[in-house]
């Protein structure tokens, strides 16, 4: 299932947050969105999910305008895991994942054995089966994040939107989660902080800054030394791999070196 953004704009407090955002994602593509804090990544994800209304422009799912589709119809096609998704309800871990089945239930379609199996598979995929009876408020931030992913998978969408999904996760679960999502064969749009994760898993990358798309393309074409220096204000070495991906090594800044030197001189005195 494809998703397309056309000339999206969004304002907050009279200030333009997103300007003329246009791109298309093909069925089964894994698209990464990178950019510094405040570049507009989370705002864009909310527009794509239909949570916020654009000041101008449209979002299309398989050629149909998102804003003209019913909420249930959208939820049957698209799942969104927000960066700060949370619940204050006193529910158990399994119940949180079961919420993903809601768009597929109705007056004539009660909870079934198939729904139970789908939830079982979702919990197993994020390694949370053993915690399914724990209450939500007793779980760590990382455990909750894994359950949010499980809930989205239980929704069985064709399009999956993820806003900083590796937040609160240790390195093992960061890589495992991205590998899991990649293996689903879904149309995926994911906002990431870690540029090496973007280089490893994304088919294409959009780089944003100040609410605009700076460049877009294959990881090795977007994650260049010049682009990273210009947008993130850091110096890097980019090593190209034979498979077309790349690896980024960060250089220590001059200020970091000065701070270390001052600390050493202070301790020596």
């Amino acid at each position: 299932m494809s998703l397309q953004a056309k000339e999206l704009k969004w304002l907050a407090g009279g200030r333009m947050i997103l300007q003329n955002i246009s791109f298309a994602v093909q069925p089964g593509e894994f698209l990464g969105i990178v950019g510094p804090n405040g570049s507009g990544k989370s705002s864009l994800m909310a527009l794509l999910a239909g949570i916020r209304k654009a000041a101008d422009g449209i979002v299309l799912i398989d050629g149909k305008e998102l804003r003209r589709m019913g909420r249930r119809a959208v939820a049957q096609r698209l799942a969104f895991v927000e960066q700060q998704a949370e619940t204050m309800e006193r529910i158990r871990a399994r119940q949180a994942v079961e919420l993903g089945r809601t768009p597929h239930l109705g007056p004539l379609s009660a909870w079934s054995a198939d729904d139970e199996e789908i939830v079982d598979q979702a919990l197993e995929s994020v390694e949370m089966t053993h915690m399914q009876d724990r209450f939500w408020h007793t779980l760590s931030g990382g455990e909750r994040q894994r359950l949010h992913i499980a809930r989205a998978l239980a929704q069985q969408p064709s399009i999956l939107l993820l806003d900083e999904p590796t937040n609160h996760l240790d390195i093992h679960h960061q890589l495992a989660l991205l590998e899991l999502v990649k293996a689903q064969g879904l149309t995926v749009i994911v906002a990431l902080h870690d540029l090496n994760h973007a280089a490893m898993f994304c088919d294409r990358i959009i780089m944003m800054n100040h609410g605009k798309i700076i460049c877009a393309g294959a990881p090795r074409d977007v994650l260049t030394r010049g682009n990273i220096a210009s947008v993130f204000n850091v110096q890097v070495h980019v090593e190209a791999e034979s498979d077309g991906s790349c690896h980024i090594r960060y250089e220590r800044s001059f200020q970091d070196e000065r701070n270390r030197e001052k600390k050493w001189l202070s301790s020596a005195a």
Side-chain angles (χ1 to χ4, degrees), residues 112-133:
S112 68
D114 287 341
D115 295 305
E116 288 287 341
E117 184 177 353
I118 290 168
V119 171
D120 286 340
Q121 292 174 350
L123 282 164
E124 183 179 353
S125 69
V126 297
E127 301 177 357
M128 287 294 288
T129 301
H130 64 296
M131 290 190 174
Q132 63 181 325
D133 293 323

Side-chain angles (χ1 to χ4, degrees), residues 14-224:
R15 184 169 66 92
M16 185 71 73
I17 304 299
L18 294 172
Q19 305 179 49
N20 302 321
I21 301 294
S22 295
F23 64 90
V25 190
Q26 300 306 313
E29 187 176 16
F30 197 113
L31 176 72
I33 299 177
V34 301
N37 289 340
S39 60
K41 300 188 301 296
S42 292
S43 298
L44 174 58
M45 298 296 282
L47 292 183
L48 298 178
I51 292 177
R52 290 176 177 167
K53 183 179 179 181
D56 198 7
I58 58 173
V59 176
L60 302 171
I61 295 180
D62 268 0
K64 299 179 181 178
E65 284 195 45
L66 178 67
R67 63 189 178 190
R68 299 187 184 279
M69 299 170 64
R71 293 183 63 182
R72 184 178 181 185
V74 173
Q76 289 175 343
R77 294 163 173 79
L78 182 151
F80 179 35
V81 178
E82 300 178 67
Q83 186 174 348
Q84 301 295 335
E86 197 50 271
T87 177
M88 298 301 293
E89 296 182 21
R90 191 174 178 81
I91 61 174
R92 297 185 186 274
R94 185 181 183 87
Q95 291 174 309
V97 179
E98 288 174 349
L99 292 174
R101 300 302 302 153
T102 302
H104 302 281
L105 303 176
L108 301 179
S109 55
W111 190 267
S112 68
D114 287 341
D115 295 305
E116 288 287 341
E117 184 177 353
I118 290 168
V119 171
D120 286 340
Q121 292 174 350
L123 282 164
E124 183 179 353
S125 69
V126 297
E127 301 177 357
M128 287 294 288
T129 301
H130 64 296
M131 290 190 174
Q132 63 181 325
D133 293 323
R134 289 270 301 273
F135 279 107
W136 183 266
H137 70 276
T138 69
L139 300 170
S140 69
E143 290 162 349
R144 294 178 186 183
Q145 185 71 347
R146 286 154 63 189
L147 288 171
H148 284 307
I149 299 296
R151 185 268 303 159
L153 294 178
Q155 198 171 324
Q156 292 191 310
S158 298
I159 300 172
L160 183 57
L161 306 181
L162 303 169
D163 189 8
E164 303 292 353
T166 55
N167 277 3
H168 310 298
L169 299 180
D170 58 40
I171 296 173
H172 166 76
H173 286 107
Q174 288 178 17
L175 296 175
L177 184 147
L178 291 172
E179 287 173 352
L180 169 67
V181 171
K182 181 81 170 180
Q184 302 305 305
L186 303 172
T187 305
V188 178
I189 304 177
V190 55
L192 291 168
H193 264 311
D194 192 311
L195 300 184
N196 277 311
H197 286 171
M200 289 173 64
F201 292 98
C202 296
D203 300 315
R204 277 193 305 133
I205 295 173
I206 287 174
M207 183 176 286
M208 296 182 63
N209 201 16
H210 303 303
K212 299 178 180 179
I213 293 178
I214 303 303
C215 55
R220 65 187 302 169
D221 296 328
V222 172
L223 300 176
T224 65

Side-chain angles (χ1 to χ4, degrees), residues 260-269:
R260 276 188 288 272
E261 183 180 356
K262 287 180 181 178
K263 185 176 180 180
W264 181 84
L265 292 173
S266 176
S267 62

